[in-house]
Amino acid sequence: MAAAVVAAGWACARGALREAWRGFASVPVKGGCSLYSSLAWTFQTRSSLSVPWTGTVKQCRKSSFFNTLTADQLWKGALAETGVGVKKGRGKKKKKKLKKNLNRGQEIGEGRSGFLWPGLNAPVLQTGKVQELAQRKKEERERIETEIIQQRDTWEKKKKLKIKREGGWSGKCWGGIILDPPDPGPNGETYEDFETRVIEVRNVFCMKAKEGRKKSVRALVAVGNGKGAAGFAIGKAGDRTNALRKAKNKAISSLHFIELYQNHTIYHDISVKFKRTKIRMKKQNKGYGLHCHRAIITICRLIGIKDMYAKVTGSKNLINITRALFRGLTLQETHQQLANQKSLYVVEFREEQGPLPIVVALPEGTVREEPEPEDEVPNTKLEWREVKEAQGMLKSPWASVRRAAC
């Protein structure tokens, strides 16, 4: 009798599984995977067992190797981010594979069959009625499929799109290249009136314990609106595009305001030093132009300086030159500040006035009657080369050499 009951149970179970195979979802039953979630309902309605089935129903998709691991684990294996080869720095000169977002462009509920699932890719209520499961027409499905393919093609083209290089110092150099304005701020503010220029792009390397000699890109970018507001920043990333984007967005958040004399030059001569770099800047008249280092010319145009002479001595490191230039320009004193500090009139001698001085600033308080002490008079160091040029003593070393007639 017991054997007959067991045989009947097995027969009912096989019949239930066979019925379930015709149109339900997959569930695990006692450690195995069945393809249907309504197995409990089938046992109660299609079999002759009087006791209700109390098994647990759980979705299980461990049918292959790719379903057992997470996406991060699969990407680690595809990109070779772990292993002995990475620890020893092998393959560092090869082109690195990048992680892709395979879910980009995918929508929940959309598929080749074109079903409309209420709450996923279709509204639940429409005209006051609860929507039922429906299917799109063949023409609409083909149209949506072509739109997705075109969208993915545009994404691939954007990845391969190169930055348009305009206005650089030379053909192979990234210095002086014009970039797009910085990204909009958190409150929606835009920076369309700011011009962005690249000062330097270099490849830098860092030794890692697991990855070996790791390469990254360092970019120095300056921004300015041509009206005295300017800034600079350094961005570092794994590729050039992200490094430039980081640098320009960081530069717009650290702006300096620099005072301009008559909107074309600096207020006075400046001598500044940063590390091993020395810069001497001289105020010039209108029409003189910018006779400086090419990095200083680029930054001065962003600031709005049109006439200035600058001489760089010592280290020609572009980062040091940029820092020294901004330090000197932000520490300059206007005529009014100098007059208030000294409590004296500030006068200026110009060529059109001859020996007659022109008062350019008055002190806001009382004027000091006694003259300025000798200790306060700045000790300006003259360059011997400039003195020779002014006196006409500087000559070419080839001036007295006689050339033989050929």
Side-chain angles (χ1 to χ4, degrees):
M1 185 64 183
V5 173
V6 172
W10 274 104
C12 292
R14 291 181 64 186
L17 290 173
R18 188 165 52 251
E19 291 292 335
W21 185 265
R22 296 173 184 170
F24 299 93
S26 71
V27 292
V29 180
K30 295 182 180 180
C33 288
S34 173
L35 295 178
Y36 303 98
S37 63
S38 58
L39 195 56
W41 176 83
T42 307
F43 266 113
Q44 295 180 15
T45 57
R46 302 291 179 140
S47 63
S48 59
L49 295 177
S50 60
V51 181
W53 185 68
T54 58
T56 57
V57 178
K58 183 180 179 181
Q59 186 178 4
C60 179
R61 295 186 58 190
K62 295 183 180 180
S63 58
S64 67
F65 167 77
F66 297 101
N67 292 333
T68 58
L69 299 178
T70 62
D72 293 336
Q73 291 173 342
L74 292 173
W75 274 116
K76 278 187 178 180
L79 303 179
E81 294 180 355
T82 57
V84 181
V86 176
K87 291 180 180 179
K88 293 185 177 180
R90 292 174 182 166
K92 60 190 176 219
K93 294 184 179 179
K94 296 181 180 179
K95 189 175 181 181
K96 186 179 179 182
K97 296 180 182 179
L98 300 177
K99 185 176 179 180
K100 296 181 181 179
N101 185 10
L102 301 179
N103 295 324
R104 191 176 183 183
Q106 301 287 347
E107 296 183 7
I108 300 177
E110 291 291 346
R112 295 182 180 179
S113 303
F115 283 102
L116 296 173
W117 306 91
L120 292 179
N121 58 347
V124 179
L125 295 175
Q126 192 171 9
T127 63
K129 296 180 180 180
V130 179
Q131 296 296 311
E132 296 181 357
L133 181 64
Q135 190 176 10
R136 290 193 180 97
K137 296 181 180 179
K138 185 178 180 181
E139 295 80 8
E140 190 175 358
R141 279 183 282 168
E142 292 177 354
R143 180 181 60 81
I144 294 174
E145 190 77 20
T146 54
E147 288 179 357
I148 293 174
I149 293 172
Q150 290 177 359
Q151 196 173 11
R152 288 175 180 170
D153 292 342
T154 55
W155 287 334
E156 292 296 329
K157 289 179 181 178
K158 285 181 180 179
K159 290 181 182 178
K160 298 177 182 178
L161 188 64
K162 294 183 179 180
I163 301 175
K164 192 175 181 181
R165 300 172 61 172
E166 294 181 354
W169 298 334
S170 62
K172 297 182 180 180
C173 179
W174 273 90
I177 300 295
I178 301 175
L179 299 179
D180 294 333
D183 298 337
N187 299 326
E189 58 270 13
T190 58
Y191 307 100
E192 299 295 335
D193 53 340
F194 279 83
E195 185 178 346
T196 308
R197 293 263 184 173
V198 180
I199 305 299
E200 185 185 31
V201 175
R202 291 193 66 180
N203 295 331
V204 293
F205 297 89
C206 180
M207 291 298 295
K208 299 288 185 179
K210 293 185 177 181
E211 303 177 16
R213 192 164 177 256
K214 187 176 180 181
K215 174 189 171 184
S216 59
V217 181
R218 185 187 67 194
L220 175 62
V221 174
V223 298
N225 62 351
K227 300 176 182 177
F232 71 98
I234 298 173
K236 189 182 289 187
D239 57 318
R240 187 187 300 117
T241 306
N242 288 332
L244 294 173
R245 179 181 55 80
K246 285 182 181 180
K248 69 180 181 181
N249 292 338
K250 196 186 297 183
I252 201 66
S253 61
S254 57
L255 294 177
H256 303 266
F257 184 75
I258 296 165
E259 298 283 351
L260 302 179
Y261 178 63
Q262 295 182 354
N263 295 326
H264 77 97
T265 187
I266 56 180
Y267 274 88
H268 54 82
D269 297 349
I270 303 170
S271 294
V272 64
K273 179 181 179 182
F274 182 82
K275 292 185 178 180
R276 303 290 293 179
T277 302
K278 299 179 182 178
I279 303 178
R280 292 192 313 106
M281 293 171 272
K282 283 190 173 183
K283 173 184 176 183
Q284 299 295 339
N285 297 326
K286 280 189 177 181
Y288 180 81
L290 293 170
H291 296 187
C292 326
H293 189 275
R294 58 185 184 180
I296 297 178
I297 292 175
T298 302
I299 297 173
C300 286
R301 287 173 179 170
L302 295 176
I303 296 171
I305 299 174
K306 302 178 181 65
D307 306 293
M308 190 182 74
Y309 170 80
K311 176 71 174 177
V312 180
T313 57
S315 174
K316 300 298 190 298
N317 189 317
L318 293 179
I319 297 178
N320 292 351
I321 290 175
T322 305
R323 291 184 183 276
L325 178 65
F326 273 92
R327 174 183 287 185
L329 292 177
T330 51
L331 293 178
Q332 68 173 337
E333 295 179 341
T334 63
H335 293 161
Q336 189 61 44
Q337 291 174 351
L338 186 61
N340 296 336
Q341 181 182 353
K342 301 291 186 181
S343 298
L344 295 171
Y345 293 101
V346 177
V347 298
E348 187 179 26
F349 293 92
R350 298 178 185 171
E351 293 183 359
E352 60 268 17
Q353 294 292 333
L356 300 177
I358 300 174
V359 179
V360 293
L362 301 173
E364 295 179 355
T366 58
V367 181
R368 189 171 62 185
E369 296 181 358
E370 63 275 7
E372 188 175 16
E374 294 183 359
D375 298 339
E376 297 184 11
V377 177
N379 183 16
T380 305
K381 294 183 180 180
L382 299 177
E383 292 287 335
W384 183 238
R385 183 182 179 86
E386 295 178 0
V387 174
K388 283 184 176 181
E389 288 181 356
Q391 296 179 358
M393 298 170 58
L394 188 64
K395 296 181 180 180
S396 173
W398 306 99
S400 58
V401 176
R402 294 182 180 180
R403 297 181 182 178
C406 297

